[in-house]
Structures are given as C-alpha cells and as structure tokens.
Amino acid sequence: MSRSRALAAVLALLLVTAGCVATRAPAELGTATATEPTGNATATAAPDVPVPDRPSPWGERSLTVAVETPGTDANMTPAVREAASFWSENAEPYVGYAADLRVDPDADDPDIVVRFVGAIESCAGTKHAVGCAPIAADRVRRPATVKIRAGLDEDSTVRVLKHELGHALGLRHGDAPLDVMQPEMAVATTPKPNATERAYPWANRTLAVYVDTSGTAEAEATDAAVDRALRYVEAADELPSVSFRRIDDEADADVVVRVRDDPDPDGCSCFRLRGPDPDRDGAPEKYRRLTISLQDASTDTVAWRVGDWLSYALGTETRADRPAPFRQATPAALPDVSESDA
C-alpha cells in the first residue's frame, strides 16, 4: 500500500490541533508629544531546558519542506531554509527526537508545506495571527500546512517560521526554547511610507470629530469656534479634500477637541497624533486619532489652533504650505466660512 493510501485510512482518527503565533497589538505612536508606551506581553512557560527523548510522530528523520508563495514573486525560500536549519540543529534537545528538515520549494510529495498568505482569517480562535500550523501529535497528516502571513520583514518572517515549524514538530506555546515558542511576539512589516510621506495621511476622507467643552464657561461660543475651524479647513484649497462630521461618542472619534478655562498643572495646550506603526520604524504609517487640548484660550485662539493643527495633521507639516492664516506661528482671528461655501 502506498504511503498516501495508508495515511488516508487513519485520517478520520486524527484530531488536528492548530498552533499559532499572534502579533502584539500594533504599536500606536504619538507625534508632537511623548510616544505612547507599548505593552510587553509575557508568557508563563516551563524552564528553557531540554526534554526527554520521545519517538517522532513523523516516523522518519528526514522531512521535506516545500514553499508556496501564491500571489507574489517574492523569494521566501531563504527565510524558510534559515528556520528549517534552526530545527535541524535543535530539534533533538527541544522536541525530543532528531529531525532533518530539507527545503525543496517545488517538492512533489512534501511532508510540510509552508504557504505565505495575505492574511490568516482564523487560527484556533486567535486574532492578529501571523502564523498558523498543526501541532504534531502521535500521528501527522501529510503534508502539514504551515501558514505564514506575507509582507513581514525578513527578521520577523524567520522568527514566525521558527515558531510555526516548532508546532509542526510537536511543540506547544510555552515549551522550550522560550524565545521561539512564546504565544505572542512583536513583528514588523516590510518598510512602508510614513504618514508624513503620504499625500493624505488618514484612512478615510470623512473624519469624525468629538468636542468636549465641559471645562469652559463659554461652551456655546467655543463650540462655534471649533465649527468655524472645521468649515475653514474643509474649504481650504491648500489642503487635501476632507470633510468633518460631529459625533457624541469620543470612542468613535478621529479628532478629539478638549477646551477648558482653568489650566491643568498636568495638562497642556498641545496636540497629539497617533497611528499604527506596523513596520516598526518609529513613525506611524497613517494617522488614526488627533487629540487637541486647549487651556485658557479665547474663542479666536481656539478656532485658529484647531485649524492650524488640523492643517498639520492633513499633511502640511511646513507652515509655508498651509492656508494663509496658519503661515505664521501667532494665533489670529480665523475668517468665517459659511456652510454653503464649505
């Protein structure tokens, strides 16, 4: 009986358990204020020590690894070879049996297939998965498919590959080596343009605005000043096309404006821009939220500051590129623009 037919006879008896690695939540970076700290994920795991010998669920030492890259011409074989070489050298002390992973990208009858995909929709209920693989148990289904999210940088790709190949050999989260088998890791994508390098640095052209005037006695006049700034920015020819809509739920806002009369010793008149940094180069790729905080400001100053900082957030970092009222750093009265003009 051929190996494929013999395996078909036992597939119905197998329970496939998936192992994956998830990326930590994408880093959110701040601009013009202190950067938001990124939390560190920790895993409770066994000591990083070798494990006792055990029989290989594969039944043989030499395992052939194929590589599939549908939808891309990227050569991912070198990264797969590096991760496979790691386990060829380290499987016995950590997995408990010797394994020789031989990479043959176009193998006809591989034991393991590494497939690079645009996204991993689900893997054992884990969100933000960047890799997914079956965990080898007493028997294995050939070929075992290891999915790796395409678009990661070289270092991240190799680390995710090591993790998922560890699952394919039988390791679980928390097993040694801990630096490989932790359930979460910080990964980076290939370099992408930063927000400051984009013609329009937001994900959409209509930005939701939440305004908090509860800290000022001039709430109505302050609210009107914010509206004046929004209309002016919408109508400005020097700025990218954008529109604003007012909302009542801060959690859903792209832009948050807070105004208070009494200075807060721990506060500031300042703005903060935040956005994801998937390539982890220290700068957001697109902006996700602009927070404007103003203290003890006149309504004219409120209108000017909101318009000025919105202009910056829309991609005009240089004052010379902004609408005329914002080309000087001194607050001034902002011309009113009617709704019909905007």
Side-chain angles (χ1 to χ4, degrees):
M1 181 182 293
S2 69
R3 185 179 72 176
S4 60
R5 289 183 180 177
L7 287 171
V10 299
L11 289 184
L13 304 177
L14 301 183
L15 174 62
V16 177
T17 303
C20 59
V21 62
T23 179
R24 294 173 190 163
E28 292 282 344
L29 296 183
T31 299
T33 63
T35 298
E36 291 287 317
T38 300
N40 293 320
T42 58
T44 302
D48 198 356
V49 295
V51 299
D53 291 344
R54 67 186 180 95
S56 169
W58 294 92
E60 55 190 293
R61 174 168 180 160
S62 181
L63 304 177
T64 301
V65 181
V67 182
E68 295 181 357
T69 57
T72 176
D73 295 328
N75 181 12
M76 307 309 300
T77 300
V80 177
R81 289 191 192 282
E82 183 175 343
S85 176
F86 171 84
W87 284 116
S88 293
E89 296 172 2
N90 294 283
E92 191 164 12
Y94 290 116
V95 183
Y97 60 88
D100 184 9
L101 277 62
R102 301 175 180 271
V103 179
D104 180 356
D106 302 316
D108 292 329
D109 190 23
D111 301 290
I112 299 172
V113 174
V114 175
R115 180 177 298 144
F116 289 85
V117 297
I120 298 174
E121 299 297 334
S122 64
C123 184
T126 299
K127 296 180 179 180
H128 307 299
V130 289
C132 187
I135 300 174
D138 294 337
R139 292 193 180 104
V140 293
R141 178 182 299 185
R142 302 174 193 256
T145 299
V146 173
K147 294 181 181 179
I148 306 294
R149 203 188 88 183
L152 302 180
D153 69 5
E154 183 177 356
D155 177 70
S156 298
T157 297
V158 171
R159 288 189 292 117
V160 174
L161 278 164
K162 288 180 181 179
H163 180 100
E164 300 306 334
L165 288 175
H167 283 315
L169 294 175
L171 294 181
R172 297 177 179 272
H173 291 155
D175 286 342
L178 301 184
D179 60 334
V180 173
M181 298 310 300
Q182 58 186 338
E184 294 183 335
M185 66 176 65
V187 298
T189 65
T190 53
K192 299 182 185 300
N194 294 328
T196 54
E197 300 169 325
R198 298 176 185 267
Y200 185 76
W202 294 80
N204 53 68
R205 293 280 176 172
T206 299
L207 302 182
V209 181
Y210 172 83
V211 180
D212 179 4
T213 59
S214 61
T216 175
E218 301 291 333
E220 185 174 348
T222 299
D223 194 84
V226 173
D227 273 343
R228 188 161 76 248
L230 299 180
R231 291 196 301 271
Y232 188 90
V233 169
E234 284 181 333
D237 293 333
E238 300 88 343
L239 297 175
S241 175
V242 67
S243 61
F244 302 101
R245 62 183 180 89
R246 296 283 296 268
I247 63 172
D248 297 324
D249 188 349
E250 181 178 353
D252 295 331
D254 302 299
V255 179
V256 175
V257 180
R258 290 193 180 91
V259 184
R260 58 181 300 148
D261 291 335
D262 299 325
D264 180 354
D266 297 323
C268 65
S269 283
C270 56
F271 74 99
R272 172 181 294 179
L273 272 168
R274 287 169 35 186
D277 178 32
D279 62 2
R280 296 186 180 270
D281 65 351
E285 291 179 5
K286 287 189 177 181
Y287 296 136
R288 181 169 292 167
R289 173 169 284 199
L290 167 65
T291 301
I292 296 173
S293 301
L294 292 165
Q295 298 190 127
D296 196 22
S298 68
T299 53
D300 280 345
T301 298
V302 168
W304 188 89
R305 287 289 186 200
V306 171
D308 185 43
W309 287 338
L310 278 171
S311 298
Y312 179 97
L314 290 172
T316 56
E317 291 83 12
T318 303
R319 285 199 173 275
D321 297 330
R322 297 179 197 173
F326 312 124
R327 291 173 189 165
Q328 302 296 323
T330 304
L334 190 65
D336 194 13
V337 175
S338 68
E339 293 188 24
S340 58
D341 292 336

